[in-house]
C-alpha cells in the first residue's frame, strides 16, 4: 500500500517562557539572585526556557558579554531560547550561539525595540541595584499600566501541581499543600490556601495575595517571603490579604 | 461504549486491588459485562483475589505484544459469567506496557464491555500513569491517615493533567473518594483521620467508606471478592459503593463506632 501520510506538519502554537530582565552586569550578583529565585520555586524554574532581556541594561549603558550570561544561565539550569533588546554585539553573539533575536511577541502586541521607556511601574526582575532608592509614597491603589489578562481557575490545585499566571491569578477552589501558584500580578484564592503562593514574581512589589483561609506553606510577594513557620497561626481560618510594606509582608484580616 | 474506571491511590497497600476486585464483581453481578485489568506488572495479585491464578495462561503483555488475542487472555470468572479478568504478567518488567499498547487493548475491550476496571499499581510513575491515562472515572482509594491523603491529593493532580481527557481538553475524569480500611474506633480516639479531616483536604464526592474488616483477608485467602460475602460489613460497604456509582442513593454506613447505635440514629452526621 502506498504510504501517503505527510512527513511533517507545522502547527502554530504559543508556549510560555519567562523573560529575564537584567538590570546589573555583575555576574556574581546575577548568579546569586538567580539561585535565590530558584530556591524559592525550584519546580517552576527547573529546565525552564528563558528569554534574556537587555533593554534595561543597555539603557543604563552597562556592558555585558552575551556568551558569558548564557553560560551562567545554563550552569544554573536554564535554557536560554531568545534575546531581546540586545545591542549589535550582543545580537551577533546570540546568532553565533543559534539563539533567536527579538522574536518574542507579548500578549497585546509586538514589542518594538527602541520604544520609549515604560512608566515607572514596570518592575525589573531579579537583581535589584545594591541600594534601593527610597520609594515615593503612593496612593493605596495603583492602576496597572500594562493590563495582562487574568487567569481564572475553578478546579482544585493539587499537590505537585504548578500554576503560573502572567497577570492576576484567580482561583475559585482549594490550593493543596505541595502545590505552587505563581503570578506576575495579584493572587486571589476564594478557598483554602495550603500550598505555596508567590505573587509579583517579576518584582511587582504592589502585588497582593488574597485568600479565604490562609494555611499556606509559603507566601511571597516580589521575592519577599514567609514560610509557614513564620506565619502567624492566629490568622489561620480567616480571610486575609497580604501585601508588602517596606519589604515586610503584612498579613491583614479582611473584615 | 464502555466506561473506563481506574482504581488508584499513589500509595501501596491501601486497598486498590481489593477494591478493583470488589467493584468489578459488583458491577458484573448487576448484569453489566465487566472486565478488570491488572496493571501491576511483576506483582500480579488481582488473579489471586479473584481466585483464578491457576487459570492464567496468557496475560496483558502477551496481548499488547500480539502474542495472544484478547479472547485467549481474558479469564471468565467462576462466580459470575459477566466478569472477565485480564491478568498482569509476573515475569515481565514494567517497561513492557506502552501507551499505544494499552490504548489498543482498551479500545478493543470497549467494543464488547460495559465497564472496564483498571487496577493501578502504586506509585506515581509509568504504571500508574498508564492505568489512569484512558480513564473516564477515577476511584481514589485513600486510608484515613495523612500520608495516604497526601498521596491521593498528588494523584488527583496527575489525574487532572496527564490523562487523555486532559490532553484533549475534554470533560475531566470524574473523581470519587473511597475511604478504605476505616477503623471507626481509631478515628474516634484520634489515632486516625476522620471523614471530615480527609474531606477538608480532598473535597471529593464520597463514593463510600469501607471499614477495616477481617473478612477482607479471609475473602482474599479464599479467592472470592469480599463483596460476595454479604454478611461482612466490608462486603456490604462495597455493595453500597457499586449502587451509588450506578446512581442509586444509599446512606453512608460504618462511619461511627459499633456501640453508638443511638448516637448513630440521632447524631448529626452529614
Ligand atoms: N477494608 C479492609 N479491611 C482489612 N484489610 C484490608 C482492607 N482493605 C484491604 N485490606 C488489606 O490490605 C492489604 C493491601 O490491600 P490491597 O488491596 O492489595 O492494596 P493495594 O492494591 O492498594 O496495594 C491486603 O492485605 C488486604 O487484605
Ligand atoms: Mg494492588
Amino acid at each position: 500500500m502506498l504510504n501517503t501520510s505527510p512527513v511533517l506538519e507545522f502547527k502554530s502554537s504559543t508556549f510560555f517562557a519567562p523573560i529575564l530582565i537584567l538590570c546589573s552586569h555583575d555576574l556574581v550578583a546575577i548568579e546569586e539572585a538567580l539561585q535565590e529565585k530558584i530556591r524559592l520555586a525550584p519546580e517552576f524554574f527547573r529546565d525552564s526556557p528563558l528569554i534574556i532581556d537587555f533593554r534595561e541594561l543597555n539603557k543604563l549603558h552597562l556592558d555585558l558579554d552575551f556568551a558569558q550570561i548564557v553560560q551562567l544561565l545554563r550552569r544554573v539550569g536554564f535554557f536560554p531560547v531568545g534575546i531581546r533588546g540586545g545591542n549589535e554585539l550582543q545580537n551577533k553573539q546570540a546568532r553565533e550561539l543559534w539563539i533567536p533575536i527579538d522574536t518574542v511577541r507579548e500578549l497585546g502586541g509586538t514589542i518594538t525595540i527602541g520604544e520609549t521607556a515604560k512608566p515607572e511601574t514596570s518592575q525589573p526582575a531579579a537583581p535589584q541595584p545594591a541600594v534601593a532608592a527610597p520609594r515615593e509614597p503612593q496612593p493605596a491603589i495603583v492602576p496597572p499600566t500594562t493590563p495582562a489578562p487574568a487567569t481564572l481557575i475553578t478546579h482544585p490545585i493539587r499537590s505537585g501541581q504548578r500554576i503560573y499566571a502572567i497577570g492576576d491569578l484567580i482561583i475559585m477552589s482549594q490550593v493543596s499543600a505541595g502545590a505552587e501558584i505563581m503570578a506576575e500580578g495579584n493572587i486571589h484564592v476564594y478557598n483554602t490556601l495550603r500550598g505555596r503562593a508567590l505573587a509579583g514574581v517579576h518584582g511587582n512589589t504592589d502585588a497582593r495575595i488574597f485568600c479565604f483561609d490562609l494555611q499556606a506553606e509559603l507566601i511571597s510577594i516580589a521575592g519577599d517571603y514567609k514560610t509557614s513557620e513564620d506565619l502567624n497561626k492566629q490568622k489561620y481560618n480567616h480571610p486575609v490579604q497580604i501585601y508588602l510594606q517596606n519589604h515586610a509582608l503584612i498579613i491583614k484580616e479582611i473584615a | 461504549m464502555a466506561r473506563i474506571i481506574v482504581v488508584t491511590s499513589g500509595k501501596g497497600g491501601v486497598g486498590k486491588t481489593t477494591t478493583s476486585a470488589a467493584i468489578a464483581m459488583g458491577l458484573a453481578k448487576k448484569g453489566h459485562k465487566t472486565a478488570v485489568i491488572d496493571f501491576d506488572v511483576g506483582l500480579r495479585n488481582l488473579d489471586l483475589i479473584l481466585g483464578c491464578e491457576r487459570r492464567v495462561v496468557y496475560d496483558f503483555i502477551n496481548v499488547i505484544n500480539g502474542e495472544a488475542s484478547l479472547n485467549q487472555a481474558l479469564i471468565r470468572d467462576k462466580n459470575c459469567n459477566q466478569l472477565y479478568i485480564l491478568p498482569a504478567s509476573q515475569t515481565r518488567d514494567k517497561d513492557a506496557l506502552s501507551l499505544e499498547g494499552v490504548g489498543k487493548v482498551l479500545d478493543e475491550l470497549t467494543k464488547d464491555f460495559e465497564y472496564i476496571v483498571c487496577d493501578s499499581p502504586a506509585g506515581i510513575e509509568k504504571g500508574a500513569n498508564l492505568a489512569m491515562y484512558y480513564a473516564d472515572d477515577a476511584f481514589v482509594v485513600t486510608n484515613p491517615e495523612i500520608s495516604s491523603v497526601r498521596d491521593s491529593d498528588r494523584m488527583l493532580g496527575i489525574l487532572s493533567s496527564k490523562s487523555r481527557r486532559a490532553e484533549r481538553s475534554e470533560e475531566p475524569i470524574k473523581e470519587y473518594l473511597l475511604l478504605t480500611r476505616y477503623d471507626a474506633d481509631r478515628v474516634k480516639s484520634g489515632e486516625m483521620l476522620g471523614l471530615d479531616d480527609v474531606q477538608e483536604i480532598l473535597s471529593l464526592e464520597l463514593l463510600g467508606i469501607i471499614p477495616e474488616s477481617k473478612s477482607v483477608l479471609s475473602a482474599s485467602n479464599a479467592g472470592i471478592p469480599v463483596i460476595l460475602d454479604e454478611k461482612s460489613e466490608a462486603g456490604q460497604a462495597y455493595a453500597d459503593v457499586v449502587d451509588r456509582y450506578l446512581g442509586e442513593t444509599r446512606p453512608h454506613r460504618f462511619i461511627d463506632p459499633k456501640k453508638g447505635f443511638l448516637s448513630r440514629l440521632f447524631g448529626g452526621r452529614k
Side-chain angles (χ1 to χ4, degrees):
Chain A
M1 209 176 85
L2 203 65
N3 188 352
T4 52
S5 58
V7 179
L8 51 76
E9 194 183 334
F10 276 109
K11 268 191 177 155
S12 116
S13 72
T14 50
F15 71 97
F16 168 75
I19 296 169
L20 176 68
I21 305 169
L22 293 169
C23 320
S24 157
H25 65 164
D26 178 349
L27 286 170
V28 177
I30 291 175
E31 178 156 2
E32 270 173 20
L34 280 172
Q35 296 286 14
E36 172 71 13
K37 293 270 174 201
I38 293 168
R39 204 180 54 73
L40 273 176
E43 280 295 316
F44 176 70
F45 285 120
R46 182 171 305 137
D47 298 339
S48 173
L50 196 71
I51 288 149
I52 312 166
D53 186 319
F54 279 88
R55 279 181 298 178
E56 288 290 322
L57 208 59
N58 290 336
K59 225 188 305 174
L60 302 167
H61 301 292
L62 294 172
D63 204 30
L64 181 64
D65 188 74
F66 183 73
Q68 269 184 327
I69 185 72
V70 165
Q71 214 174 32
L72 187 161
L73 288 169
R74 288 183 178 152
R75 191 169 61 240
V76 298
F78 290 101
F79 290 85
V81 294
I83 172 175
R84 67 179 201 186
N87 60 29
E88 212 171 302
L89 179 64
Q90 287 156 347
N91 286 346
K92 182 167 166 284
Q93 286 175 314
R95 204 168 287 124
E96 279 162 8
L97 291 168
W98 299 89
I99 290 180
I101 300 156
D102 290 338
T103 46
V104 193
R105 263 181 291 161
E106 271 181 343
L107 290 169
T110 315
I111 299 281
T112 34
I113 305 305
E115 90 190 314
T116 49
K118 284 227 178 85
E120 286 195 343
T121 37
S122 89
Q123 297 289 336
Q128 300 278 351
V131 187
R135 288 169 56 89
E136 297 293 313
Q138 283 181 336
I141 301 157
V142 184
T145 38
T146 42
T151 305
L152 174 70
I153 292 176
T154 53
H155 57 79
I157 312 297
R158 302 287 185 181
S159 173
Q161 288 190 302
R162 236 171 49 206
I163 301 289
Y164 189 98
I166 297 167
D168 285 2
L169 178 58
I170 303 166
I171 298 179
M172 304 296 294
S173 191
Q174 64 182 37
V175 178
S176 292
E180 191 166 76
I181 55 174
M182 309 177 87
E184 291 174 22
N186 305 301
I187 291 177
H188 304 250
V189 180
Y190 294 99
N191 205 308
T192 309
L193 170 59
R194 293 196 180 86
R196 301 154 67 100
L198 297 89
V201 286
H202 275 193
N204 181 0
T205 50
D206 294 323
R208 292 182 182 218
I209 298 172
F210 304 84
C211 68
F212 263 21
D213 181 358
L214 176 68
Q215 301 183 21
E217 294 170 315
L218 176 137
I219 49 170
S220 161
I221 293 174
D224 282 298
Y225 65 93
K226 271 189 176 159
T227 62
S228 63
E229 281 177 21
D230 318 321
L231 286 175
N232 183 350
K233 303 287 187 295
Q234 285 173 342
K235 298 277 174 17
Y236 275 26
N237 304 309
H238 293 288
V240 295
Q241 65 160 320
I242 302 157
Y243 55 93
L244 212 51
Q245 209 167 59
N246 302 324
H247 281 281
L249 283 175
I250 311 289
I251 303 174
K252 221 180 189 150
E253 241 180 84
I254 303 171
Chain B
M1 264 313 255
R3 196 93 188 148
I4 301 175
I5 302 169
V6 62
V7 179
T8 186
S9 73
K11 202 163 182 276
V14 293
K16 291 182 294 294
T17 301
T18 305
T19 299
S20 300
I23 58 160
M25 175 61 83
L27 289 165
K29 286 249 297 169
K30 293 234 151 189
H32 302 291
K33 194 172 176 191
T34 301
V36 55
I37 307 178
D38 191 347
F39 275 78
D40 209 345
V41 177
L43 281 173
R44 71 169 220 224
N45 54 28
L46 180 71
D47 48 330
L48 290 171
I49 294 194
L50 285 160
C52 65
E53 72 278 10
R54 281 193 297 265
R55 290 157 62 206
V56 175
V57 181
Y58 297 109
D59 58 52
F60 193 11
I61 287 168
N62 290 137
V63 179
I64 287 180
N65 291 347
E67 295 149 2
S69 73
L70 199 48
N71 280 333
Q72 285 174 303
L74 282 171
I75 303 171
R76 179 180 249 176
D77 185 79
K78 57 180 191 269
N79 293 303
C80 178
N81 62 13
Q82 293 284 64
L83 178 62
Y84 291 79
I85 299 114
L86 185 54
S89 170
Q90 225 162 5
T91 52
R92 310 295 184 93
D93 66 291
K94 296 191 188 336
D95 292 334
L97 289 181
S98 67
L99 197 62
E100 300 78 18
V102 171
K104 247 174 49 197
V105 173
L106 288 176
D107 267 353
E108 207 178 326
L109 284 171
T110 298
K111 292 182 196 132
D112 216 47
F113 285 86
E114 282 179 76
Y115 292 100
I116 301 166
V117 178
C118 302
D119 179 20
S120 173
I124 52 170
E125 306 292 314
K126 194 178 168 196
N129 288 348
L130 286 175
M132 61 158 201
Y133 182 78
Y134 297 99
D136 301 303
D137 300 314
F139 289 12
V140 179
V141 178
T142 307
N143 292 164
E145 49 180 82
I146 192 72
S147 62
S148 172
V149 176
R150 276 288 194 105
D151 285 355
S152 291
D153 191 66
R154 184 86 202 268
M155 209 60 205
L156 286 160
I158 298 173
L159 275 170
S160 68
S161 51
K162 294 206 176 120
S163 65
R164 178 166 66 176
R165 283 173 173 269
E167 279 172 14
R168 292 182 176 174
S169 305
E170 292 170 356
E171 195 182 317
I173 295 177
K174 181 89 184 77
E175 304 155 342
Y176 300 95
L177 174 64
L178 221 78
L179 201 52
T180 59
R181 311 205 64 171
Y182 189 90
D183 186 329
D185 291 310
R186 293 180 67 189
V187 168
K188 195 165 184 218
S189 71
E191 273 174 82
M192 279 188 154
L193 299 179
L195 173 62
D196 296 347
D197 304 319
V198 175
Q199 280 294 50
E200 194 177 317
I201 297 175
L202 295 180
S203 342
L204 287 182
E205 182 172 338
L206 178 67
L207 207 50
I209 297 168
I210 314 298
E212 175 80 18
S213 158
K214 291 209 175 61
S215 58
V216 172
L217 190 60
S218 22
S220 86
N221 284 338
I224 298 166
V226 70
I227 197 169
L228 294 181
D229 181 355
E230 286 164 15
K231 284 199 209 67
S232 76
E233 292 195 340
Q236 294 169 23
Y238 275 121
D240 286 353
V241 164
V242 171
D243 290 346
R244 282 190 205 104
Y245 176 68
L246 292 174
E248 285 162 52
T249 313
R250 294 278 177 276
H252 288 289
R253 301 191 264 174
F254 316 118
I255 302 178
D256 298 318
K258 297 249 162 51
K259 276 164 245 145
F261 174 70
L262 283 180
S263 61
R264 193 156 79 231
L265 264 188
F266 300 111
R269 274 276 183 184
K270 278 175 267 176

